[in-house]
Amino acid sequence: MAGRYGRPRSVLRMRTVAGQVFLLQVAIVVLLVAAAMAALVLQSRTDSEREASNRSVAVARTFASAPGLEAALKSPDPTAVLQPRAEAARKLSGVDFIVVMNTDGIRYTHPLTNRIGKKFVGTLKPALAGGIVTERITGTIGPLVQAVVPVFGHNGKVVGLVSAGITIRKVSGVVDQQFPLLFGAAAGVLLLTTGGTALVSRRLRRQTHGLGPAEMTRMYEHHDAVLHAVREGVIIVGADGRLLLANDEARRLLGLAADVEGRPVADLGLDPDTARLLSSGRTVTDEVHPVGDRLLAVNQRSTAQAGGPPGSVTTLRDTTELRALTGRAESARGRLKLLYDAGTEIGTTLDVVRTCEELAEFAAARFADIVTVDLAEDVLTGEEPTDTAGTGTEMRRTAVSGAPPDSGLYPVGHLVRFDPSTSVGSGIDRGEPVLEPDLTAFRGWHLQNPQRARRIVAHGIHSMIAVPLRARGAILGVVLFWRSQEPGPFEEEELSLAEELVARAAVSIDNARRYTREHTMAITLQRSLLPRALPEQNAVEAAYRYLPAQAGRGGLGGVGGDWFDIIPLPGARVALVVGDVVGHGLHAAATMGRLRTAVHNFANLDLPPDEILWHLDELVTRIDQDEGAEEAGGSITGATCLYAIYDPASGTCTMARAGHVQPMVLRPDGTVETAEVPGGPPLGLGGLPFETWQHQLPEGSRLVLFTDGLVEDRDRDIDEGTALLARTLADRPGRTPEETCEAALGALLPESPSDDIALLVARTRVLDAAHIADWDVPPDPSAVAQVRAAAVRKLIEWGLAAEAFTTELILSELVTNSIRYASGPIGVRLIRDTSLICEVSDRSSTSPHLRQAATTDEGGRGLFLVAQLAERWGTRYTAGGKVIWTEQAPADGAPFAGADDLLAGTVDGEDPGM
């Protein structure tokens, strides 16, 4: 800055404040560093002499106290004894010499052997008196410190002297080695401090801009001019409450006189609130104060915050016009925030009713006092709303918020018909909002229901806005906003806000409506694919539960692919099936339907469980291939299945599983065990065989088949869920299957299931031996008559004489075919179940085929005759051959025997033989 005004800048002659401060600080730092170094040198010398004295005394005293020293002094040749010891001690202790002498000062030892026998140079008298002598001398090896100590004999008298000495240079050598580091550190401190001083001076130079006194004077003059020229009032008040400074704008805004400086703020004639604020000195930010006809924004801070003098500085800004603009901006910002919050709080679920409730609750809390939402009946069921313009609109009150019970407004669930002759009804027909600012005027809105209108007004409701709910050009319903607590009526600006609010909510309601329709269709499809009732059979007593995902949330859960089935099989047997298709939605439900249909078809072939799973695996593989050919990339369907067959005649259960969770078996004694069914791969992987698990179960055992959604959840792993299910089953083993299902769901069903749950519980039954008759038939045509006769006798015993003729014909044909075409033993079994079952088994794997015999054929009509006489017939392959079976239904439609009859116990009687 000095150069700016034409003056050369000199380092030795600086007129700026920053330069002078820099030179002063540098000089102080240099002096401090020099003084510190001098003190360090002096201290080092003192410490060196002290250390030399202490070490020489310590070494001399230690050697003088050494054992055998007195004897060595009295020996004929003390030097020969003491010289090696002294030299060894000198080298170990680091001193320059250890001299042993007699009381006359004659040396016995010395590092230089030519000085042995000569007199010691030093003070000896205090040591001969028993004291210690320490002195600093300059010897041939330089300045040193030596100590002389006495050697006491056994009688306490001084018998000799020991002197040890060390040069100052040797002691101070360690300290001298640190001097370069110390000087370097001092230089670093000097440089660092000088640099810091330079930075401070540079900062000060920046603050003062390098100005000298004249320039500073001019600067303050400009500062004063600017202070009074700005359009913002500035007031400085001292700690004693007196006004120190007020610029021209502050005088104008507060109406102050010209000579107010130095006077107390309380005597300035200000209004009490402003005077108290200026006197208090409290921190204020944009606090608005009315002063006369002005609104002043006040900011106040303490002047002592940065180390300044106590007091406060206050700025005043006239915001009279700005406040009006701010009010409008605040209103717009509040409107935008209301609409933003509505977008986040309305439509959080895909439930039509819940969305209406969220709209009513939000609007009643943020916009109106009371809100009602009415929807068309079609919208509530998920259908497209119908056009009823001009005929009166009927809507169901879906949500109400903020209305007391006696307000006169219709409650939730009430069917409201909006008359087109009223303002609200005509507005709904046109799809336009209606504003009724003063309900007490009764300008047509009350014609809807005059009596209720009077009750509404009597309750204090004085203003109303009706806005139709419109989405994609259709009227879904209407939202009515009522005002009762706030005295002012609704205005046109609020009408537009209500329109925007309802428009946003209408999108959410329409989305929920469309979801409801699609979900209803999906649920209908899924329900149509699942069994609607359990088939009649006597093998097991069964109960089931099926819960779709998220079923706890109003039934709006995802549609999944879990399924179950109970399929009656020939021979009074039954198949129990549980499966799970990966994923949710219509695709999973459709795949489940295809698999369920396939299981029924394969079950009709009467195949064992492992073969049925093999066929299902092939089917799923083909499904995946077909979908992969139609869609880029394809998608693996993926499914699991557990297939079990239970035979009540023998009590045998056979299972196979494809990637499915293992079932559980609850025995009659309360023991719960996991059926260790060999694990096969999920359906669709292909290439691996399936193995079977076969066990004989006691009567009354419960087979518990389920999908993983029952035992596995977001907050529970499958092992924990399986253990909990086992404990629940074992808790009360005597439950019925229905009670078992309820107990299992009560213990394991999460609040919001994330996966479908299928549960099937079957209590096994065992057919009474009295209702089963079997015979071994020799491969002789003459045995056919015998087996027919035995069968007729058994039928008469069972009270089924009416079926004897038909049964004779069936058995005659089937046994004759086995004798003619098969080899090995032949077995015949009759089972009295809900139908009469005839079974003929042999060792052949050849299956008979039904065909239409020509008129010239001599044979081929037997199986055709069997098919005509029996209700159903078929072939079941076993490990040792095949079984041909038939079922005969009673002629009167009533079952041959019910479950209670079949399971009542053994009936006395003799089983006829052959």
Side-chain angles (χ1 to χ4, degrees):
M1 184 63 70
R4 183 187 307 171
Y5 290 102
R7 297 191 307 273
R9 175 175 296 175
S10 174
V11 177
L12 300 178
R13 187 180 179 185
M14 290 186 176
R15 298 183 58 189
T16 63
V17 176
Q20 295 172 2
V21 170
F22 175 75
L23 291 178
L24 179 61
Q25 289 183 336
V26 169
I28 292 174
V29 169
V30 170
L31 291 176
L32 290 176
V33 171
M37 293 303 300
L40 181 62
V41 171
L42 294 176
Q43 183 66 34
S44 173
R45 293 178 178 178
T46 303
D47 291 343
S48 298
E49 292 183 4
R50 183 182 300 109
E51 174 63 20
S53 176
N54 292 337
R55 188 182 300 184
S56 61
V57 170
V59 172
R61 294 183 64 179
T62 302
F63 196 85
S65 301
L69 184 58
E70 180 182 0
L73 290 173
K74 294 180 179 180
S75 63
D77 189 1
T79 298
V81 178
L82 295 177
Q83 177 67 12
R85 296 183 185 179
E87 285 303 299
R90 177 182 65 82
K91 293 177 181 179
L92 291 176
S93 62
V95 296
D96 290 298
F97 63 85
I98 297 177
V99 176
V100 182
M101 65 196 83
N102 59 16
T103 55
D104 295 328
I106 303 302
R107 299 187 185 101
Y108 291 146
T109 66
H110 196 280
L112 301 177
T113 56
N114 59 356
R115 297 189 181 183
I116 297 174
K118 297 181 180 181
K119 189 172 180 62
F120 177 77
V121 179
T123 304
L124 301 179
K125 187 175 182 180
L128 293 173
I132 298 175
V133 179
T134 304
E135 55 186 344
R136 186 180 187 277
I137 64 174
T138 300
T140 58
I141 58 177
L144 58 86
V145 175
Q146 65 181 11
V148 180
V149 299
V151 178
F152 295 98
H154 66 279
N155 56 1
K157 293 182 179 182
V158 176
V159 297
L161 301 174
V162 177
S163 175
I166 184 170
T167 60
I168 302 297
R169 175 175 49 81
K170 181 176 291 188
V171 176
S172 62
V174 178
V175 178
D176 293 342
Q177 293 174 5
Q178 303 299 322
F179 272 123
L181 177 61
L182 296 176
F183 280 111
V189 171
L190 179 59
L191 291 176
L192 180 61
T193 309
T194 305
T197 303
L199 292 176
V200 173
S201 300
R202 183 178 180 184
R203 178 65 178 172
L204 183 59
R205 186 181 302 111
R206 186 181 296 115
Q207 295 293 329
T208 61
H209 300 283
L211 297 177
E215 290 85 355
M216 294 292 289
T217 301
R218 284 196 298 271
M219 182 188 71
Y220 281 112
E221 289 175 352
H222 286 292
H223 175 271
D224 188 63
V226 171
L227 178 66
H228 293 285
V230 295
R231 293 296 306 275
E232 187 168 297
V234 179
I235 292 177
I236 299 178
V237 179
D240 57 355
R242 294 181 179 273
L243 182 65
L244 301 180
L245 182 145
N247 68 348
D248 293 342
E249 182 66 10
R251 297 172 191 272
R252 184 184 70 83
L253 295 176
L254 298 178
L256 300 177
D259 56 346
V260 293
E261 280 81 358
R263 295 170 55 184
V265 174
D267 299 340
L268 299 179
L270 302 174
D271 64 275
D273 290 341
T274 305
R276 281 195 297 271
L277 174 61
L278 296 177
S279 302
S280 65
R282 63 183 176 90
T283 300
V284 170
T285 301
D286 288 337
E287 189 173 293
V288 179
H289 280 261
V291 178
D293 57 351
R294 295 187 178 93
L295 289 175
L296 302 182
V298 181
N299 288 274
Q300 187 167 274
R301 296 291 185 274
S302 172
T303 57
Q305 290 182 351
S312 62
V313 58
T314 306
T315 61
L316 309 171
R317 187 174 64 256
D318 192 353
T319 62
T320 305
E321 296 180 359
L322 183 61
R323 294 296 295 181
L325 295 175
T326 303
R328 290 193 290 271
E330 286 291 339
S331 177
R333 184 162 55 249
R335 179 174 178 170
L336 291 176
K337 187 177 187 308
L338 176 69
L339 295 176
Y340 173 79
D341 293 343
T344 59
E345 297 184 26
I346 299 174
T348 59
T349 66
L350 289 174
D351 188 334
V352 174
V353 175
R354 181 56 193 154
T355 303
C356 293
E357 292 173 349
E358 290 174 346
L359 169 60
E361 293 168 359
F362 178 84
R366 303 281 295 273
F367 179 69
D369 299 324
I370 302 171
V371 179
T372 61
V373 182
D374 305 321
L375 292 183
E377 291 280 5
D378 295 336
V379 176
L380 288 171
T381 58
E383 301 298 328
E384 292 287 345
T386 57
D387 186 9
T388 58
T391 61
T393 304
E394 286 188 349
M395 296 185 182
R396 183 74 63 181
R397 180 136 296 176
T398 308
V400 177
S401 181
D406 57 345
S407 61
L409 299 173
Y410 291 113
V412 173
H414 192 276
L415 187 62
V416 183
R417 181 181 181 275
F418 291 96
D419 195 329
S421 62
T422 64
S423 58
V424 176
S426 62
I428 295 175
D429 287 343
R430 298 190 308 271
E432 298 176 356
V434 176
L435 170 61
E436 289 286 348
D438 186 9
L439 297 179
T440 60
F442 296 104
R443 288 192 295 263
W445 72 274
H446 66 290
L447 298 177
Q448 177 77 31
N449 191 322
Q451 184 178 359
R452 281 189 173 270
R454 287 191 293 271
R455 288 177 56 191
I456 290 173
V457 173
H459 195 75
I461 302 175
H462 58 81
S463 187
M464 181 265 291
I465 292 177
V467 182
L469 276 162
R470 301 184 60 182
R472 296 183 295 111
I475 304 296
L476 308 180
V478 63
V479 183
L480 301 176
F481 302 93
W482 310 84
R483 178 166 286 177
S484 61
Q485 299 177 5
E486 187 172 339
F490 285 117
E491 299 177 352
E492 289 293 337
E493 185 176 352
E494 293 171 309
L495 175 62
S496 62
L497 177 59
E499 286 186 88
E500 294 184 34
L501 179 61
V502 172
R504 298 194 177 202
V507 175
S508 299
I509 293 174
D510 188 57
N511 289 339
R513 176 194 65 79
R514 296 171 66 184
Y515 171 78
T516 300
R517 180 185 61 185
E518 296 174 2
H519 184 266
T520 302
M521 294 172 57
I523 288 293
T524 302
L525 171 63
Q526 185 185 38
R527 294 296 185 185
S528 67
L529 297 176
L530 291 172
R532 299 185 179 182
L534 297 180
E536 293 185 3
Q537 45 80 36
N538 291 324
V540 294
E541 178 189 356
Y544 68 92
R545 293 293 185 274
Y546 179 81
L547 296 175
Q550 304 291 327
R553 298 182 179 177
L556 295 178
V559 177
D562 290 17
W563 92 93
F564 66 93
D565 249 319
I566 297 182
I567 306 173
L569 298 177
R573 297 169 304 135
V574 66
L576 307 174
V577 190
V578 173
D580 184 3
V581 176
V582 176
H584 294 85
L586 292 176
H587 181 268
T591 304
M592 176 267 289
R594 298 169 71 177
L595 292 180
R596 181 170 179 259
T597 302
V599 169
H600 275 265
N601 292 334
F602 295 146
N604 288 334
L605 298 177
D606 214 351
L607 300 175
D610 55 335
E611 292 190 26
I612 285 184
L613 292 183
W614 185 85
H615 286 292
L616 285 177
D617 181 71
E618 289 291 314
L619 174 62
V620 173
T621 301
R622 289 196 299 272
I623 292 175
D624 291 343
Q625 292 174 351
D626 294 341
E627 291 181 352
E630 295 176 0
E631 300 179 4
S635 60
I636 300 299
T637 300
T640 65
C641 183
L642 173 67
Y643 191 92
I645 296 178
Y646 176 69
D647 186 357
S650 61
T652 302
C653 181
T654 306
M655 297 187 195
R657 66 185 180 101
H660 202 80
V661 291
Q662 292 181 335
M664 289 188 175
V665 178
L666 173 60
R667 297 186 179 274
D669 60 357
T671 303
V672 178
E673 62 183 25
T674 299
E676 299 296 336
V677 183
L683 301 176
L685 296 183
L688 296 176
F690 299 96
E691 300 181 34
T692 58
W693 174 93
Q694 182 171 327
H695 280 270
Q696 188 165 4
L697 302 178
E699 183 177 6
S701 300
R702 288 163 183 78
L703 292 171
V704 183
L705 284 65
F706 50 89
T707 56
D708 56 1
L710 178 66
V711 295
E712 188 176 23
D713 192 58
R714 287 185 296 262
D715 302 325
R716 181 181 60 209
D717 60 29
I718 191 169
D719 293 334
E720 181 183 355
T722 303
L724 179 58
L725 177 60
R727 291 194 300 270
T728 303
L729 295 176
D731 183 35
R732 287 178 53 194
R735 296 188 183 100
T736 64
E738 284 287 343
E739 294 172 344
T740 303
C741 288
E742 288 297 325
L745 291 181
L748 286 97
L749 182 64
E751 182 178 354
S752 300
S754 58
D755 194 7
D756 297 349
I757 296 176
L759 172 64
L760 181 61
V761 178
R763 181 165 59 184
T764 62
R765 293 168 172 166
V766 176
L767 293 179
D768 194 333
H771 294 276
I772 303 175
D774 52 6
W775 303 273
D776 293 329
V777 181
D780 184 356
S782 62
V784 176
Q786 299 179 23
V787 75
R788 287 203 310 264
V792 169
R793 287 195 300 270
K794 177 57 69 174
L795 292 177
I796 294 174
E797 178 184 340
W798 286 345
L800 302 179
E803 309 299 328
F805 179 72
T806 302
T807 305
E808 279 188 278
L809 292 178
I810 292 174
L811 287 178
S812 178
E813 177 60 30
L814 296 181
V815 173
T816 300
N817 282 342
S818 294
I819 293 174
R820 179 179 300 176
Y821 299 110
S823 60
I826 299 173
V828 174
R829 184 168 69 168
L830 293 181
I831 300 176
R832 180 190 177 190
D833 196 16
T834 54
S835 60
L836 180 61
I837 302 171
C838 299
E839 295 181 347
V840 176
S841 60
D842 56 45
R843 295 291 184 179
S844 173
S845 59
T846 303
S847 174
H849 296 281
L850 180 66
R851 65 185 180 89
Q852 186 72 40
T855 56
T856 58
D857 290 344
E858 295 183 0
R861 297 178 179 83
L863 198 57
F864 179 80
L865 179 63
V866 170
Q868 297 299 315
L869 295 176
E871 182 74 15
R872 293 194 308 157
W873 74 280
T875 303
R876 179 172 74 253
Y877 292 96
T878 63
K882 69 176 183 298
V883 176
I884 303 177
W885 55 269
T886 65
E887 290 186 3
Q888 298 170 245
D892 56 359
F896 289 123
D900 294 338
D901 298 331
L902 296 173
L903 308 173
T906 303
V907 178
D908 294 335
E910 183 181 357
D911 188 13
M914 294 182 57

